[in-house]
Amino acid sequence: MANTIQTHMKNNTLPLVHFFLAFIMLLIGGTLGLLQGLNRGGVFELPASFNYYEVLTLHGILLILAFTTLFTNGYLYAAIRHTLGELSKTVKILAWSSLASFLIGSLLVVWMVLAGEATVMYTFYPPMQASPWFYIGLVFVVLCIWLAGLGVFISAFQWKRRNKGQHLPILAFFAVGIYTLVIFGSLGVTVEVLMLIPWAFGWTETINVMLSRTLFWSFGHTLVNVWYLVAISVWYTILPKIIGGRIFSDTLARLVVILIVILNVPGGFHHQIVDPAFSEGLKFMHVFMSLSIAFPSLMTAFAMFAVLERTGRKRGGRGLLGWLWVLPWGDVRFLTIMIAMISFIIGGAGGIAQTNNQLNQVVHNSLWVVGHFHITVGVTVVMTFFGLVYWLIPHLSGRVMTPFIHHLGMFQTATWTVGMALMALSMHAVGLFGAPRRTSYTTYGDSATALGWEPYLSFLATGGTLLFFGVILIVYIVFHLMFFAPKGDTPFMDSRVEDNAHPTPKWTENWGLWVIVAILIISMGYVVPLVDLIENAPPGSPPHRTW
């Protein structure tokens, strides 16, 4: 059995290393999140040598960039190996090079923040200027994404060449869509960073702030939807297997992937809907482009309800909602993903509210936005990731989950859910009362308005504390499943479509066409504003250090 474990670990070293590093990042980023939450709640004062904004910058980078990127690459490479077969030598080289690039970039970025040279927060907007080595580190992070994507594209091409006329397995189809989207999304931020580097070195004196912000948000919001696409790949292809069901419609799932890929990049413009320098007509067009993202999400809601109801009725559920109660709520693999899907209804509704001018002006730059982000990413995406942990890690390490770890997982799920509900909902509420985001604790000279925020900020700090305990528990669970759980065989959990499903049409495989359509839609959204921002550029800004 010892040899079996060694073989499992050796064959799955690539995803296991990604998961190991991802949860180290979660532990450090979660600890920083605790400090940040306690400070924002007014119950803890950070030492002067390590201020709130450094904590905020590192918290964002380690969780938003590092944890999600490492987890996604680990999960998708495990999925590619399972569905398409052993990775070729070229793909392995690309995957390890991607990880190396990520580590180099992350070390540079974190080093600069800790050195006090890059307290520019996750969005790294100019005119705040970081050390040029911070921006060079970001180049390596983007290179990591491109190398990982290239490896997946090559694997898919090699499989198609070996299996002429067959549809790419649905999980691999999701992987191709995810890396296509993230590469499209990263083009804008790559151009931005290549503008920032000579400015940070002092080779150029000023920077076009509005152009930089626009290029950033073509990436910033797309990244959220990359995580969402990763999460729904689990909902479509793995959840049915966990509950004993089948994929509702292979065609619908592939259409959702295509729509998310081609519609997403211009959707980020709603983050700038209150910015100057854009005409009302352009903003009006972008309202529709942002709202279009909701369409594939509504299709996903329909497909998920169909899977849950069909499976529930097969399990003996009767009546209008009887199918719901017979689903396996006591299975942590199901419960985590179900909570993630429910939270997306709240997060999706909040996202729609921010796409239009009137509601966006109410919540813009308030803690409401931070609460929305934590519901969307911290529950919808991260809880889906946690749901994978309970079978994917033991599958890769050649071990099995014990009843104790299962019970601990249920407790962790409850801790995380309650913690996130307390924190995110209080952020939503206090944001509507005017509490700003991106600020440390202050009462603004004991103003009556700011003092009225205190109860909500106390809930925020309590929720952050519970989330920290949730981080400790999940990190323990992951490392236990990776190294100490009993040896055994845990199967991969991918699903099949219904036996009577309609054949999937061939047009879904035409990625050349979908790439062209995506380029046309991105051009429709961005060519006019980018040309205008370049031709009628406002006076450039010199660098500023606000810390």
Side-chain angles (χ1 to χ4, degrees):
M1 184 60 79
N3 289 336
T4 304
I5 293 288
Q6 288 175 0
T7 303
H8 268 282
M9 299 291 276
K10 182 179 177 183
N11 291 339
N12 299 304
T13 302
L14 179 67
L16 284 171
V17 170
H18 278 82
F19 288 130
F20 180 87
L21 293 171
F23 281 91
I24 293 292
M25 298 294 174
L26 179 66
L27 180 61
I28 300 171
T31 305
L32 294 169
L34 172 67
L35 298 176
Q36 189 185 333
L38 293 177
N39 177 273
R40 194 68 174 86
V43 298
F44 176 73
E45 188 169 345
L46 290 163
S49 58
F50 195 50
N51 69 47
Y52 177 85
Y53 300 98
E54 278 185 359
V55 173
L56 180 58
T57 303
L58 276 178
H59 173 71
I61 289 171
L62 292 178
L63 296 188
I64 296 173
L65 287 180
F67 172 69
T68 54
T69 301
L70 290 166
F71 193 101
T72 298
N73 286 350
Y75 157 58
L76 291 179
Y77 267 91
I80 286 292
R81 184 172 181 272
H82 173 79
T83 55
L84 303 185
E86 188 59 60
L87 305 179
S88 69
K89 184 178 178 182
T90 303
V91 172
K92 286 180 181 175
I93 291 172
L94 286 170
W96 284 109
S97 301
S98 162
L99 181 60
S101 180
F102 183 85
L103 292 175
I104 293 169
S106 298
L107 286 173
L108 277 173
V109 167
V110 171
W111 180 22
M112 288 300 105
V113 176
L114 289 175
E117 297 292 330
T119 309
V120 288
M121 295 188 275
Y122 157 67
T123 47
F124 51 88
Y125 287 151
M128 286 198 298
Q129 187 192 73
S131 160
W133 296 104
F134 173 84
Y135 301 120
I136 291 171
L138 292 176
V139 171
F140 279 97
V141 173
V142 173
L143 181 62
C144 151
I145 296 169
W146 290 0
L147 290 171
L150 183 58
V152 168
F153 297 154
I154 290 174
S155 288
F157 176 77
Q158 291 171 336
W159 187 91
K160 290 286 288 183
R161 195 169 54 184
R162 293 194 303 270
N163 300 272
K164 291 187 183 301
Q166 293 189 36
H167 287 281
L168 198 65
I170 183 64
L171 194 47
F173 190 88
F174 267 98
V176 170
I178 288 163
Y179 283 109
T180 303
L181 179 59
V182 74
I183 288 173
F184 269 131
S186 62
L187 293 176
V189 78
T190 302
V191 175
E192 182 204 4
V193 169
L194 294 179
M195 289 165 48
L196 293 174
I197 289 173
W199 178 63
F201 272 119
W203 301 335
T204 56
E205 294 183 0
T206 60
I207 191 84
N208 185 331
V209 172
M210 286 307 301
L211 179 60
S212 300
R213 282 173 62 89
T214 305
L215 290 171
F216 174 83
W217 279 117
S218 70
F219 159 78
H221 191 81
T222 303
L223 186 59
V224 175
N225 284 284
V226 168
W227 304 326
Y228 167 61
L229 191 51
V230 175
I232 69 168
S233 75
V234 178
W235 304 353
Y236 273 104
T237 66
I238 292 168
L239 177 70
K241 179 75 172 181
I242 292 173
I243 62 177
R246 297 284 187 90
I247 296 172
F248 169 66
S249 167
D250 187 78
T251 303
L252 185 148
R254 290 172 198 258
L255 182 58
V256 165
V257 175
I258 293 166
L259 288 174
I260 290 176
V261 169
I262 65 177
L263 294 176
N264 244 297
V265 176
F269 198 88
H270 71 260
H271 287 258
Q272 295 180 270
I273 206 163
V274 298
D275 280 6
F278 302 112
S279 68
E280 288 184 3
L282 185 70
K283 291 181 178 180
F284 193 68
M285 180 185 76
H286 274 278
V287 168
F288 287 99
M289 299 190 83
S290 298
L291 285 173
S292 69
I293 302 172
F295 184 58
S297 297
L298 293 174
M299 292 170 66
T300 297
F302 172 77
M304 291 302 105
F305 275 115
V307 168
L308 295 173
E309 182 181 358
R310 287 183 178 203
T311 309
R313 296 201 183 281
K314 285 179 185 174
R315 295 169 68 103
R318 298 288 182 270
L320 184 63
L321 294 175
W323 53 271
L324 188 59
W325 316 127
V326 298
L327 294 174
W329 294 97
D331 185 336
V332 69
R333 301 170 304 174
F334 170 72
L335 181 64
T336 46
I337 295 174
M338 201 58 193
I339 292 172
M341 292 195 297
I342 293 169
S343 75
F344 187 67
I345 297 173
I346 304 169
I352 290 173
Q354 290 173 84
T355 59
N356 69 85
N357 193 48
Q358 288 77 11
L359 291 178
N360 196 296
Q361 288 192 57
V362 175
V363 300
H364 194 75
N365 275 335
S366 77
L367 266 176
W368 194 95
V369 176
V370 186
H372 163 72
F373 186 79
H374 278 85
I375 284 282
T376 307
V377 180
V379 187
T380 303
V381 174
V382 173
M383 285 286 274
T384 301
F385 287 2
F386 289 171
L388 285 176
V389 158
Y390 296 99
W391 63 266
L392 184 53
I393 299 288
H395 166 77
L396 296 171
S397 62
R399 299 177 186 274
V400 293
M401 177 172 60
T402 61
F404 169 72
I405 289 296
H406 185 270
H407 293 320
L408 195 62
M410 296 293 280
F411 181 66
Q412 193 277 340
T413 303
T415 305
W416 191 269
T417 304
V418 174
M420 196 60 83
L422 282 174
M423 190 179 79
L425 294 180
S426 62
M427 285 175 168
H428 275 85
V430 78
L432 291 175
F433 295 139
R437 58 173 170 158
R438 294 175 173 155
T439 59
S440 58
Y441 175 77
T442 175
T443 61
Y444 296 95
D446 289 339
S447 78
T449 300
L451 291 174
W453 301 335
E454 297 280 325
Y456 299 95
L457 297 179
S458 298
F459 279 117
L460 184 159
T462 305
T465 305
L466 285 174
L467 287 171
F468 175 69
F469 283 117
V471 167
I472 297 291
L473 290 174
I474 195 68
V475 169
Y476 170 78
I477 289 169
V478 166
F479 291 154
H480 181 86
L481 291 173
M482 197 175 285
F483 300 113
F484 306 111
K487 298 156 187 157
D489 185 35
T490 301
F492 197 93
M493 304 290 286
D494 60 338
S495 312
R496 292 186 294 149
V497 295
E498 298 274 3
D499 289 333
N500 58 351
H502 291 288
T504 303
K506 289 187 179 299
W507 54 260
T508 57
E509 294 281 309
N510 194 347
W511 274 106
L513 173 63
W514 307 130
V515 167
I516 292 172
V517 173
I519 291 171
L520 290 175
I521 292 178
I522 293 169
S523 301
M524 188 171 73
Y526 277 107
V527 167
V528 170
L530 291 180
V531 169
D532 184 51
L533 288 171
I534 294 169
E535 286 189 346
N536 304 298
S541 174
H544 292 272
R545 286 174 69 100
T546 56
W547 64 96

